[in-house]
Amino acid sequence: MKTQRIAPRSGVAFELSKGQALTVIDPQGTQVADLLAYSRGDVREVISNGRTFDYEETIALTTGNRLWSNRSNPLLAIEEDTVGRHDFLLTPCSEATFRRFYPDKAVHPGCFGNLAQALGPWGIEPDAIPCAFNVFMNVPVAPDGSLRVDPPTSRPGDFIRLRALADLVIGLTACSAYASNGGSFKPIDYRIE
Amino acid sequence: MKTQRIAPRSGVAFELSKGQALTVIDPQGTQVADLLAYSRGDVREVISNGRTFDYEETIALTTGNRLWSNRSNPLLAIEEDTVGRHDFLLTPCSEATFRRFYPDKAVHPGCFGNLAQALGPWGIEPDAIPCAFNVFMNVPVAPDGSLRVDPPTSRPGDFIRLRALADLVIGLTACSAYASNGGSFKPIDYRIE
């Protein structure tokens, strides 16, 4: 397929079959894409940050790591990654996080609302949206455990390629939050092969 | 109420009403208790490590921090903590994690199985068990992001006290995994006030 574009501050969902590769591209640099993956056969199975941290024994996921489900199955394998800096600690930005972190800005459905809307046709409810794998999101953890959300280090054309290890439903956004993309809302591109 | 004991490698569930305090005690030292909290009014609302990390801006949760739900409500506040070292990164140990990390040991339902059984009467299904707040669990994160599971630093009588900010259903275990408690299975005590 040809490369698809996700407009700034929006999200999409689509099916990815076992063996297919999904490439997520940052076309302009310094942008985040929240990624969710559900098992198509039973959407109660979904990627889990905790199971992934447990099995991969790291919170810094890159080439060679896999994303595991709440049922302890690997759903996606990271095959290539030109950035090496992603986040799996934080939940998608939402109306509530906008109210909290940007009280002077207009409230936006955020990646959470965009994912909920895009995934609805597969019977996935908002409460079934866990922590997303936040592609290109740059969240340094200090030695004392404190977190910071810094602008992504991705440059124009940087990408990550993930291989489906099961038949999946994917949710994917161009992030809506100010902090995660340095205050500039940009598109995200993706390609299925 | 008088102090209750959770037998080694088992788990319980109970209701905790808004305003009540739950004290989790390590009676013998070096033991972990996996804690889950669901909103009693709608058990689809549950504590979320990602929302908690987002709002508290740290992965090192102790006195003064709150545990937030997937719906962005604070469910529990940590009021006192004599240990200051807990984990919210990892999912409860399960049959699958036993097969993976202890292939030479007997498979055990683990905290996951114990929580699923204890929470069943409230209509909470196994797939609705997210990352637990792992009381006293000691998971250092190295600068490169890699994780290690070390024995807890808790000594006999150490405790954490959490105040309910909503009407809750609590799941609580005495952990079943080898690594998390230094290979010795011990009880956990708790008290509601």
Side-chain angles (χ1 to χ4, degrees):
Chain A
M1 80 185 262
K2 71 177 183 34
T3 300
Q4 308 288 312
R5 175 149 292 192
I6 305 173
R9 306 189 99 183
S10 74
V12 298
F14 51 85
E15 299 193 348
L16 187 72
S17 294
K18 184 174 175 172
Q20 287 185 317
L22 169 66
T23 304
V24 181
I25 305 146
D26 186 350
Q28 299 174 7
T30 323
Q31 174 58 309
V32 165
D34 284 14
L35 184 151
L36 288 173
Y38 295 80
S39 171
R40 208 187 309 164
D42 184 346
V43 295
R44 291 174 302 181
E45 180 168 16
V46 59
I47 54 168
S48 158
N49 64 352
R51 288 275 175 238
T52 300
F53 297 153
D54 213 0
Y55 291 129
E56 300 297 320
E57 300 181 44
T58 182
I59 62 170
L61 300 156
T62 184
T63 307
N65 290 122
R66 290 183 288 179
L67 306 186
W68 293 75
S69 79
N70 56 338
R71 294 185 187 171
S72 287
N73 297 311
L75 297 189
L76 288 162
I78 304 176
E79 286 193 339
E80 198 175 350
D81 176 10
T82 65
V83 176
R85 189 96 194 135
H86 315 283
D87 170 68
F88 208 1
L89 293 171
L90 301 180
T91 34
C93 60
S94 69
E95 287 192 12
T97 62
F98 271 84
R99 277 191 210 98
R100 164 92 176 212
F101 293 110
Y102 314 109
D104 56 330
K105 308 266 204 241
V107 167
H108 188 274
C111 288
F112 186 87
N114 289 333
L115 287 164
Q117 184 169 38
L119 291 164
W122 282 272
I124 295 161
E125 301 203 337
D127 284 319
I129 294 178
C131 283
F133 180 62
N134 302 306
V135 174
F136 311 132
M137 191 171 187
N138 186 8
V139 182
V141 180
D144 69 355
S146 63
L147 298 172
R148 217 173 54 233
V149 179
D150 280 354
T153 61
S154 47
R155 293 149 307 171
D158 270 333
F159 68 90
I160 186 172
R161 192 174 67 247
L162 305 112
R163 181 78 56 180
L165 305 175
D167 289 336
L168 302 175
V169 178
I170 299 287
L172 190 66
T173 70
C175 185
S176 310
Y178 295 84
S180 59
N181 50 38
S184 63
F185 307 118
K186 295 171 177 173
I188 283 289
D189 288 352
Y190 71 97
R191 196 167 55 235
I192 298 172
E193 280 150 325
Chain B
M1 82 184 262
K2 71 179 182 38
T3 301
Q4 308 287 312
R5 175 149 291 192
I6 305 173
R9 306 189 99 181
S10 74
V12 298
F14 50 86
E15 300 193 349
L16 187 73
S17 294
K18 183 174 177 172
Q20 287 186 316
L22 168 65
T23 305
V24 181
I25 305 146
D26 185 350
Q28 300 174 7
T30 324
Q31 175 58 310
V32 166
D34 285 14
L35 184 152
L36 288 174
Y38 296 80
S39 171
R40 208 188 308 164
D42 184 345
V43 294
R44 292 175 300 181
E45 180 168 18
V46 60
I47 53 167
S48 158
N49 63 352
R51 288 274 175 237
T52 300
F53 296 155
D54 214 1
Y55 291 127
E56 298 298 321
E57 301 182 45
T58 182
I59 63 170
L61 301 155
T62 185
T63 306
N65 291 122
R66 291 183 287 179
L67 306 186
W68 293 75
S69 79
N70 56 337
R71 295 185 187 171
S72 288
N73 297 311
L75 297 189
L76 287 163
I78 303 176
E79 287 194 339
E80 197 175 352
D81 175 10
T82 65
V83 176
R85 189 96 193 134
H86 314 283
D87 170 70
F88 209 2
L89 293 170
L90 301 180
T91 35
C93 60
S94 68
E95 287 192 12
T97 61
F98 271 84
R99 279 192 208 96
R100 163 93 176 213
F101 293 109
Y102 314 108
D104 57 330
K105 306 268 204 245
V107 168
H108 189 276
C111 288
F112 186 87
N114 289 333
L115 287 164
Q117 184 169 36
L119 292 164
W122 282 272
I124 295 161
E125 301 202 337
D127 284 320
I129 293 178
C131 283
F133 181 62
N134 302 306
V135 175
F136 311 132
M137 192 172 186
N138 185 7
V139 181
V141 180
D144 69 355
S146 63
L147 298 172
R148 217 171 57 233
V149 179
D150 280 355
T153 60
S154 46
R155 294 150 307 168
D158 269 334
F159 67 91
I160 186 172
R161 192 175 67 247
L162 306 111
R163 182 77 54 180
L165 305 176
D167 289 336
L168 303 174
V169 178
I170 299 286
L172 190 66
T173 70
C175 185
S176 309
Y178 295 85
S180 60
N181 49 39
S184 64
F185 308 118
K186 294 171 178 172
I188 283 288
D189 289 351
Y190 70 97
R191 195 169 55 235
I192 297 172
E193 280 150 325

